[in-house]
Amino acid sequence: FPAMEKRAWKERLFKNIITHVISLLQVQDIPAPPALSQGLQEIWFPLRQTDSSSVDQLKRMKRDWVIPPINVPENSRGEFPQDLVRIRSDNDKNRSLRYSVTGPGADQPPTGIFIIHPISGELSVMKPLDREHISNFHLRAHAVDLNGNQVESPIDIVINVIDMNDNRPEFIHQIWNGTIPEGSKPGTFVMTVTSVDKDDPKTANGMLRYKIVSQNPESPTSNMFTINNKTGGIITVAAGLDREKVPQYTLIIQATDMEGNPMYGLSNTATAVIKVTDINDNPPEFTAETFFGEVPENRVNVIVANLTVTDKDQPNTPAWNTVYKITGGDPTGRFSVPTDPTTNEGLVTVVKPIDYEISRTYVLTVVAVNEVSLARGIHSPRQSTATVSIRVIDVNESPYFEPNPKLIKLEEGMQPESALTTFTAQDPDRFMQQTIRYTRLSDPANWLRIDPNTGRITTIAVLDRESPYVKDNMYSATFLASDSGVPPASGTGTLQIFLLDINDNAPHVYPQETEMCEKPEPNGINITALDGDLNSNAGPFAFELANRPSDIRRNWTITRLSGDIAQLSLKIGFLESGIYEIPIIITDSGNLPMSNTSYLRVKVCQCDHNGDCTDQQHIVAAGLGTGAIIAILLCIIILLILVLLFVVWMKRRDKERQAKQLLIDPEDDVRDNILKYDEEGGGEEDQDYDLSQLQQPDTIEPDAIKPVGIRRMDERPLHPEPQYPIRSAAPHPGDIGDFINEGLKAADNDPTAPPYDSLLVFDYEGSGSTAGSLSSLNSSSSGGDQDYDYLNDWGPRFRKLADMYGGSDD
């Protein structure tokens, strides 16, 4: 090489050696001498390839150099700016160049950390670096001429921030909680504590070590636990953990970096709280060997005695909760000992009635255990068993009937004052001298009586199986037995009487009323026989029509269809509307048969094409309810009352009118006259009348036709009427007979009287009567020679007329 190039090559080689030495020192945490780290590094751009025609000059070859990283310690206290390295190009001998750097920390955020002198190429750091913030920087160095033209390719420069031990270890939690069962063996794992250090974990600055600084309390030894200095795992190293003595330990844990070097390392502490959990290593112990109690007989669900125990285990845990068991003295299971969940006491309770007459005292053996078994190697002491002595108190017990209920079977129909049975009660109080009296408590039909001293039951009425108080042939009565104790006690007993059926009920027809049409089709009516007795004394039944009245068997017939159903049929094809009562004799099949005549009420009515009754009463009865019918009847009654009031008012008004009659001319009074118009006449013999005069009565002269008395206008004659003597308008009450005879005589002498029955006016408040003769009333006697027997063939409606007109004059 030429001398200049040889010198430059040597400088570059020297600076690279120095750089590597500084890096090695930093890796070993050995501070580098200040001369090595201040301005002794210089970076040259790679030599460029140049062409030369001179034979003496060697041809330069292009080479790519790898620039080693530049290591800068963090938190430097030196003066700033602090030189790091010098950037040089071999072209700066011939011309002036300008140097610059780019990248994060130079011209990119965070800016202003690194700067380069543009002429000398000296790269400097402007302030202390923090590895925990940025651990390395990647920059590029550029060389350009004065015109800005690039004369060298950019060089990559890596600046590593060397870690310094500037961070203490920090625990993740300041207080760590752990548990360990009491009685645990040495070497039992408890928990792990963890600490972190922001320094480089690959160097001693971030390598931590743990140790236990203190233990509180120091019982039973001061070294109950140990910690793995690298992992932070805490384990037991000594036996004797007892929750009842030391329930909790507090450990101070220290973490130190620099691999635990107490001189150079930084440290920090945390607290580990270790709770000793309970195991069942203490059995329950009774506070006394014998407990006492008493209970009245026949009482249940009552507490007799409270059993108390002590247990050193943790309260309200399965190792503390006590379970009580009766192991002796209660073969019939009359007692139980549940546990009070609050006090842990045993409550001796009676669950079955106790009889004083059987046992007066009980001595129970009770064992107390925990819900969970005792720990291995722990045995129950004697204090876990106790004796309970219970005294039974005698009380007055209620008498009881035996058997209850008591069943007896009797035939119905038993007469009053008949002895049925003796129903007595027993007194369970054998050690008390008491008497028992009996009373009737429930007797729905009032059939029975009981003797108050002996319990003998007799009847006071006839026992009837068909009574509504008998259900399924069974009648029940309840009686009360009371003793003479203080206070008295009583018990009830039920007597059940099964009544055997006898034939004491006659059958009857059902339904009792029915309907049918005048022309029935079909003409049969199905009826059913009902009997209050059972089947052996009831069906099959015999049906028969009664002999009287005689037209029953002539018009009707009955046929049995089954054991209790028969069909009533009509023999004739037509039956007049009306209500008919058909007597039917029904006989049952009892050992002594009973017969009864039942009346079937048959309503015969006119029917429509559907066969339904069209009778108005039937429609009302079928279509209206009871309330509607009552409302209609009330309306009718109110209407009748109004009509009656109206009639009374009219009569009073007539009396007032008669009182004023003397002041009125009878001939001028035309009130209250019966006028008949449009009368057709009496027959062919009356056709000689001029009917035109009836149609135009106004054409007749008033003077010629004005009668002395008032009469009918439709009977006006064509010739002048004879003059009759004027009768008194108001005859004396004693002359009524003479008044009627005079009227009859005037009617008989009236030539204008029609030859047929007509309305005759016998009295009028005006002048004399114009009534015709009453002889026409005797016309009923005429025609006696005529034969009226043909009316019998016209049906039942004309039989009455045939009886009246048929026969002789007698």
Side-chain angles (χ1 to χ4, degrees), residues 274-296:
I274 301 175
K275 292 184 178 181
V276 182
T277 58
D278 186 40
I279 64 172
N280 192 16
D281 57 344
N282 292 280
E285 299 179 4
F286 283 102
T287 58
E289 293 183 357
T290 304
F291 296 87
F292 299 92
E294 60 182 20
V295 59

Side-chain angles (χ1 to χ4, degrees), residues 144-159:
V144 297
D145 57 14
L146 296 178
N147 295 325
N149 297 319
Q150 181 176 328
V151 296
E152 297 285 357
S153 297
I155 299 175
D156 291 330
I157 301 174
V158 176
I159 301 175

Side-chain angles (χ1 to χ4, degrees), residues 407-703:
L407 176 65
I408 61 174
K409 294 184 178 180
L410 300 171
E411 282 191 352
E412 65 172 330
M414 183 171 289
Q415 297 301 315
E417 302 301 330
S418 300
L420 298 184
T421 184
T422 300
F423 196 25
T424 58
Q426 300 178 10
D427 192 348
D429 297 313
R430 293 178 299 171
F431 302 99
M432 298 181 183
Q433 300 298 326
Q434 299 180 138
T435 58
I436 299 177
R437 294 186 63 83
Y438 303 94
T439 57
R440 186 178 61 174
L441 188 62
S442 173
D443 185 11
N446 197 24
W447 286 347
L448 307 176
R449 178 176 59 235
I450 187 170
D451 188 279
N453 298 317
T454 63
R456 184 171 178 267
I457 298 177
T458 57
T459 61
I460 58 177
V462 178
L463 305 183
D464 185 9
R465 191 195 66 85
E466 289 74 33
S467 171
Y469 300 102
V470 178
K471 304 297 181 183
D472 298 330
N473 303 326
M474 192 75 69
Y475 179 76
S476 298
T478 305
F479 299 93
L480 182 70
S482 303
D483 61 19
S484 58
V486 180
S490 60
T492 60
T494 301
L495 178 65
Q496 294 180 339
I497 304 175
F498 188 88
L499 294 175
L500 302 176
D501 185 40
I502 63 174
N503 193 14
D504 58 344
N505 290 278
H508 61 275
V509 69
Y510 178 82
Q512 296 181 352
E513 294 184 0
T514 185
E515 294 180 351
M516 67 181 302
C517 300
E518 290 180 337
K519 295 181 179 181
E521 186 176 340
N523 60 359
I525 300 173
N526 290 340
I527 59 175
T528 303
L530 298 180
D531 195 322
D533 297 322
L534 297 179
N535 289 335
S536 60
N537 294 316
F541 299 94
F543 299 87
E544 183 183 4
L545 291 175
N547 294 325
R548 293 184 179 277
S550 59
D551 59 341
I552 296 298
R553 293 199 172 191
R554 185 171 62 250
N555 296 336
W556 302 88
T557 182
I558 190 169
T559 304
R560 192 176 77 171
L561 301 180
S562 63
D564 55 354
I565 299 177
Q567 187 179 64
L568 182 67
S569 304
L570 187 65
K571 288 184 178 181
I572 59 178
F574 176 84
L575 191 63
E576 185 180 1
S577 296
I579 296 177
Y580 300 85
E581 290 189 352
I582 313 300
I584 301 174
I585 302 173
I586 305 177
T587 305
D588 59 22
S589 299
N591 189 11
L592 295 176
M594 293 190 68
S595 298
N596 182 34
T597 301
S598 297
Y599 286 88
L600 177 64
R601 186 181 179 90
V602 181
K603 181 179 181 180
V604 181
C605 58
Q606 297 180 359
C607 299
D608 55 14
H609 63 281
N610 295 325
D612 298 328
C613 249
T614 58
D615 186 23
Q616 185 65 24
Q617 295 181 357
H618 170 76
I619 295 175
V620 171
L624 297 178
T626 305
I629 295 175
I630 294 175
I632 293 174
L633 293 177
L634 290 176
C635 293
I636 293 174
I637 293 173
I638 294 173
L639 183 60
L640 292 177
I641 293 174
L642 294 177
V643 171
L644 181 61
L645 294 175
F646 180 75
V647 170
V648 172
W649 178 76
M650 289 298 296
K651 287 184 176 182
R652 180 177 298 176
R653 189 174 177 185
D654 288 343
K655 290 182 179 180
E656 295 176 355
R657 188 177 294 146
Q658 290 178 4
K660 297 178 181 180
Q661 185 65 36
L662 297 175
L663 303 176
I664 302 175
D665 187 2
E667 296 182 0
D668 297 334
D669 189 4
V670 294
R671 293 173 297 172
D672 298 337
N673 292 309
I674 298 177
L675 303 179
K676 293 190 64 179
Y677 300 94
D678 195 16
E679 183 70 24
E680 293 181 357
E684 294 179 358
E685 60 270 28
D686 298 329
Q687 298 301 322
D688 294 337
Y689 288 98
D690 186 3
L691 298 180
S692 62
Q693 298 298 326
L694 298 176
Q695 297 174 357
Q696 297 177 355
D698 297 335
T699 58
I700 305 176
E701 292 296 330
D703 297 334

Side-chain angles (χ1 to χ4, degrees), residues 298-374:
N298 300 322
R299 295 285 299 276
V300 294
N301 298 325
V302 293
I303 297 175
V304 178
N306 290 16
L307 310 182
T308 57
V309 296
T310 59
D311 196 320
K312 297 178 182 179
D313 292 322
Q314 184 176 357
N316 301 315
T317 62
W320 178 82
N321 296 335
T322 304
V323 178
Y324 300 88
K325 298 180 181 178
I326 299 176
T327 59
D330 185 23
T332 58
R334 299 186 179 276
F335 299 91
S336 68
V337 188
T339 303
D340 189 328
T342 304
T343 63
N344 208 26
E345 294 180 351
L347 309 178
V348 181
T349 307
V350 180
V351 295
K352 292 182 180 179
I354 300 175
D355 191 354
Y356 175 84
E357 285 70 27
I358 297 177
S359 179
R360 300 184 182 184
T361 59
Y362 287 87
V363 178
L364 309 179
T365 301
V366 181
V367 176
V369 296
N370 292 124
E371 289 184 357
V372 295
S373 301
L374 289 173

